[in-house]
Amino acid sequence: MKRRHKVAYCLTSLISFSLISNSAIVAAPPRNPDKTVNCEILVVGGGLSGVATAYEGLLAGRRVCLTEITDWLGGQISAQGTSALDERPTQRSRQFYSRGYLELRNRIERKYGQLNPGECWVSDSCFLPRDAHTVMTQMLKDAEKRGRGKLEWFPNTVIKDLEVTPSTVEGGGQLISSAVAIQYQPAPDAPPLNTLTLAQTIEDAYRYENSSQFTKNIIRLLPQNTAGNAPKWYVVDASETGEIIALVDVPYRLGIDPRSHLEPSSSSTQNNPYCTQGFTYTFAMEATKEPQPQEQPPFYSQYAPYFSYELERLANFDLVFTYRRIWSPQQGEPATFRGVRFSTPTPGDISMQNWTWGNDYRPGTAQDNLVYTRQQLQATGQLQSGGWMGGLRTETLRKGEENALAYYYWLVAGTTDSQLGEGFKQQHPNNRFISGLDSPMGTAHGLSKYPYMREGRRIIGRPSWGQPGGFTIWETDISRRDYNDEYYRNTLPAAMYRRLQATLAGLEAVSVITGKKPPEQVMRRTRSTIFPDSVGIGHYAIDFHPCMENSPPEAPGNRELPGERRGAGQAYPFQIALRAMIPQNIDNLIVGGKSIATSHIAAAAYRVHSFEWSAGAAAGTTAAFALKNQVAPYQLVENLPKPAPQLEALKRLLEQNGNPTAFPDTSIFNEDWENWR
């Protein structure tokens, strides 16, 4: 049996990436697998992107295996608790989404008799996380029946190891030929699942051995088919942090990219892999008629110096409570605060909390970063055979959990504000923290089952025309920013500024590069980059929850890493290039969700609900198409910009199935995108 390939890293275009050698072996489990399951599409991660992948695979009649570390489907809107759909007004008003995402919205509306049972004001749809899991479970059952596919669903399951072998195709790379998974259940006399927090269980979940907490089943996952030279199955990494891309050690980025003409708003001139966007343990709280006893957590004083309403225009408890209110059984009184209209909370209302200077936990140093870098994975033994433990720092998970619990106490009983000073924070005792296995979060402790992840590992695509160092979607591909701004003229070196303007100049690029046209005369671009291999769409602002400068994040007087919000702002409607979903070296791995090939700044827009679904729909459709046509996804794009008939056939299939690959009127001749807000 072969084990994972050892990898040598080199530096290209200021970006570290890995090159897989030809000698790698996977460690065998300590005992024979309890079960062997055959799949045509193996989806790792049951979040929105993973569910969308499975949905399209099932409708295409394929046998889909779906693993998820928690016991809920839905990721962001269920296990991570962020059940408030992030959408842009124009896209929402036109209902221009993937078919599965539209079906999800419709099912939510049918379940409650309205799309927004929480009367939140952050979104047109806020609802209970536990209901999202129920809705998505039924969606997959119905897709299985309609498409005559087969779903093998593995909740409470992690991928522990992978077998990687050489491709038999001339010029091909490597193939994932099998996977070993661990499914865990409560041990005899142990408490039910979701009694303990993730930090208390994650390391046990990744160990083969049974414990006082869990009984483990070892599952070997194998391709269903063996005939032909093309890949026999496809593995889709739809995990929240890019677990599979780390486990097979393909080239990827983490954190901040160095400033360049493609990423001109970067806060750093060098890579900073430790500064990723903050992660959040969400929780639910209920408004009550009478004051409730509020117990101060023993660790409250450690985190209290961090908490804040952040801005004076947000310094209103009712405003924060209703922002992501997910359940409202009765109408409150109309209210307005600093121009925001909402209905006041009434007893029985339930709010989900997800606040930047609150339960966001924002580590940004090598001492406390959550998602381990490749070097940290090596140092902790996780890249050795059988050593994979999920790739996260458990201590930081634990502190994120404490921070969230402390934030609740601050909301209801705190009187300080770290950013605004005295006089802004009042006590609000008529609220209770909701916990219990039947609670909105489905946990005895009341926190979400998994933290809401805004950013993880991001692949570097294969070398492509114009991007010999590896395909990436950059800030300049999507941002509405005016790069004639004085900041860019004064901060960027002259040669870099000229290259930036040439990048935005379209047909005038040569004139700018050669100096025939001054950079300041380049007209502001009014649309995003059009990709010939687009297989999906998304639209959202470039939205940052920056890491903190020093460790620990909650230290008194700590501040956000300077310059991190520079890239924030509006974005044009954007596309998902197939090249952004195809990693280097592994021919049968497709990447969905937040781990596609985007830069740090672009990733801040490519992370919300409808994008995740669109990327998953593209992954599922591409996998089914590749199996049917005996072609690897990289072969669809390897000769671009030359005509690619099979790529065009894939794009037609997506469109025919109701999965848009472009926004209306997308064309190099159409520069009128200002109305897409």
Side-chain angles (χ1 to χ4, degrees):
M1 183 181 294
K2 302 269 181 181
R3 82 175 148 202
R4 263 190 331 274
H5 293 263
K6 295 180 180 177
V7 178
Y9 266 61
C10 65
L11 191 68
T12 293
S13 300
L14 300 178
I15 298 164
S16 296
F17 70 93
S18 58
L19 297 173
I20 294 183
S21 70
N22 288 321
S23 63
I25 300 198
V26 157
R31 66 174 192 267
N32 290 331
D34 300 288
K35 181 191 296 187
T36 297
V37 180
N38 298 101
C39 325
E40 291 180 294
I41 304 173
L42 168 59
V43 185
V44 180
L48 285 171
S49 190
V51 172
T53 301
Y55 178 85
E56 292 296 336
L58 293 170
L59 288 175
R62 296 296 174 176
R63 187 180 184 91
V64 178
C65 299
L66 175 60
T67 70
E68 164 60 22
I69 189 173
T70 74
D71 56 349
W72 276 2
L73 293 171
Q76 284 196 52
I77 62 172
S78 60
Q80 297 172 42
T82 48
S83 50
L85 300 179
D86 287 322
E87 299 171 345
R88 301 306 294 163
T90 308
Q91 187 179 13
R92 182 172 58 226
S93 66
R94 298 193 184 191
Q95 295 286 283
F96 201 72
Y97 298 110
S98 302
R99 62 175 174 178
Y101 186 78
L102 285 173
E103 182 180 342
L104 170 63
R105 293 174 97 255
N106 290 336
R107 286 180 181 243
I108 291 170
E109 187 168 15
R110 289 200 302 270
K111 180 172 183 61
Y112 294 107
Q114 56 179 312
L115 189 58
N116 191 7
E119 292 187 31
C120 65
W121 57 271
V122 70
S123 170
D124 268 16
S125 183
C126 293
F127 45 89
L128 298 171
R130 67 186 182 208
D131 291 340
H133 165 68
T134 302
V135 166
M136 305 200 86
T137 299
Q138 192 59 52
M139 278 185 67
L140 290 188
K141 287 181 179 178
D142 291 347
E144 183 180 36
K145 183 177 180 180
R146 284 158 49 199
R148 298 183 180 180
K150 175 62 177 175
L151 177 65
E152 297 282 357
W153 159 232
F154 299 101
N156 315 314
T157 301
V158 298
I159 298 297
K160 177 67 174 177
D161 231 325
L162 299 168
E163 180 182 8
V164 178
T165 55
S167 170
T168 59
V169 176
E170 184 178 352
Q174 311 293 321
L175 297 173
I176 298 173
S177 52
S178 71
V180 179
I182 303 172
Q183 187 171 46
Y184 58 93
Q185 296 292 340
D189 301 322
L193 291 177
N194 303 307
T195 299
L196 302 177
T197 66
L198 182 65
Q200 294 172 304
T201 59
I202 188 169
E203 293 184 10
D204 194 343
Y206 278 92
R207 294 192 180 101
Y208 281 121
E209 298 78 19
N210 293 331
S211 67
S212 60
Q213 184 173 224
F214 295 137
T215 298
K216 317 286 180 62
N217 282 325
I218 299 176
I219 304 166
R220 185 173 298 284
L221 300 158
L222 295 169
Q224 179 168 311
N225 303 314
T226 57
N229 291 325
K232 313 302 186 295
W233 70 340
Y234 284 91
V235 178
V236 177
D237 187 346
S239 66
E240 299 301 324
T241 59
E243 280 198 53
I244 301 305
I245 65 177
L247 188 55
V248 295
D249 216 0
V250 297
Y252 61 85
R253 294 183 180 87
L254 190 60
I256 299 172
D257 301 294
R259 191 176 302 139
S260 71
H261 67 288
L262 298 172
E263 194 87 347
S265 302
S266 173
S267 60
S268 175
T269 58
Q270 299 178 334
N271 288 37
N272 181 348
Y274 309 112
C275 180
T276 57
Q277 291 215 51
F279 68 94
T280 308
Y281 273 102
T282 60
F283 59 83
M285 56 190 293
E286 181 183 12
T288 61
K289 186 176 181 180
E290 303 295 335
Q292 302 295 307
Q294 308 294 346
E295 183 177 353
Q296 184 180 101
F299 42 77
Y300 177 71
S301 61
Q302 176 181 343
Y303 300 95
Y306 172 77
F307 302 130
S308 174
Y309 283 128
E310 184 176 2
L311 301 172
E312 190 171 335
R313 64 181 174 83
L314 302 174
N316 179 284
F317 178 85
D318 287 355
L319 189 80
V320 173
F321 185 96
T322 58
Y323 184 55
R324 288 189 174 92
R325 181 170 49 190
I326 56 178
W327 179 248
S328 183
Q330 57 181 314
Q331 182 80 39
E333 294 296 323
T336 302
F337 183 80
R338 303 294 174 95
V340 179
R341 294 184 176 86
F342 57 94
S343 63
T344 56
T346 60
D349 282 5
I350 297 175
S351 174
M352 174 268 292
Q353 288 299 315
N354 174 9
W355 196 255
T356 307
W357 284 87
N359 49 335
D360 275 10
Y361 199 63
R362 302 191 279 163
T365 71
Q367 291 72 48
D368 56 14
N369 63 311
L370 174 64
V371 183
Y372 278 143
T373 66
R374 183 180 185 277
Q375 289 72 25
Q376 290 172 327
L377 291 174
Q378 278 189 313
T380 56
Q382 294 202 47
L383 294 185
Q384 296 177 5
S385 299
W388 184 248
M389 296 295 289
L392 302 179
R393 190 191 300 269
T394 305
E395 174 66 8
T396 298
L397 284 174
R398 183 189 65 79
K399 293 188 70 176
E401 293 162 356
E402 290 182 349
N403 181 74
L405 294 170
Y407 172 60
Y408 167 76
Y409 184 79
W410 179 84
L411 271 178
V412 297
T415 57
T416 62
D417 190 298
S418 67
Q419 305 301 300
L420 302 179
E422 299 297 324
F424 287 95
K425 184 64 181 67
Q426 307 298 320
Q427 294 183 329
H428 300 275
N430 289 38
N431 290 276
R432 72 178 184 94
F433 185 86
I434 309 177
S435 60
L437 297 178
D438 60 347
S439 69
M441 298 297 169
T443 61
H445 48 79
L447 298 177
S448 55
K449 300 184 178 193
Y450 196 92
Y452 169 40
M453 296 298 304
R454 295 180 178 87
E455 184 180 354
R457 302 175 185 89
R458 312 180 308 275
I459 63 166
I460 303 171
R462 301 187 180 208
S464 178
W465 102 91
Q467 296 200 50
F471 181 83
T472 300
I473 298 170
W474 297 97
E475 171 193 350
T476 52
D477 286 314
I478 67 170
S479 179
R480 286 178 179 263
R481 185 167 294 280
D482 181 1
Y483 292 105
N484 289 318
D485 182 271
E486 182 179 355
Y487 169 83
Y488 299 97
R489 296 199 306 270
N490 295 338
T491 303
L492 302 185
M496 185 183 293
Y497 182 69
R498 184 172 292 278
R499 289 193 70 188
L500 165 63
Q501 295 297 343
T503 299
L504 304 173
L507 297 177
E508 298 177 307
V510 174
S511 297
V512 176
I513 293 172
T514 58
K516 293 180 180 179
K517 185 167 187 173
E520 58 271 14
Q521 292 184 11
V522 173
M523 293 184 63
R524 181 181 176 186
R525 189 170 64 186
T526 57
R527 60 163 171 78
S528 58
T529 299
I530 298 173
F531 298 116
D533 57 333
S534 176
V535 288
I537 59 170
H539 191 203
Y540 201 67
I542 301 172
D543 181 21
F544 272 102
H545 293 234
C547 74
M548 303 299 284
E549 184 174 27
N550 299 311
S551 177
E554 68 275 11
N558 205 355
R559 63 174 183 168
E560 296 178 352
L561 189 70
E564 262 295 89
R565 290 186 186 263
R566 169 68 59 180
Q570 296 302 313
Y572 293 109
F574 45 77
Q575 296 180 326
I576 305 167
L578 181 58
R579 284 168 294 168
M581 303 175 68
I582 301 173
Q584 297 182 33
N585 306 323
I586 305 293
D587 292 349
N588 65 340
L589 176 61
I590 301 173
V591 177
K594 293 181 284 286
S595 290
I596 69 169
T598 56
S599 71
H600 175 63
I601 291 177
Y606 280 80
R607 66 173 173 82
V608 294
H609 305 82
S610 66
F611 151 75
E612 280 211 59
W613 192 281
S614 188
T621 305
T622 299
F625 179 90
L627 288 168
K628 180 179 180 180
N629 293 280
Q630 293 288 289
V631 59
Y634 78 89
Q635 294 174 315
L636 302 176
V637 296
E638 63 182 346
N639 293 320
L640 290 176
K642 295 179 180 179
Q646 286 186 304
L647 172 63
E648 292 305 313
L650 172 62
K651 289 166 64 76
R652 284 194 300 272
L653 177 62
L654 284 160
E655 293 283 353
Q656 290 165 4
N657 287 345
N659 294 310
T661 63
F663 283 86
D665 302 320
T666 295
S667 164
I668 60 172
F669 303 108
N670 180 13
E671 297 285 338
D672 186 19
W673 290 93
E674 291 301 319
N675 291 329
W676 278 90
R677 296 293 179 183

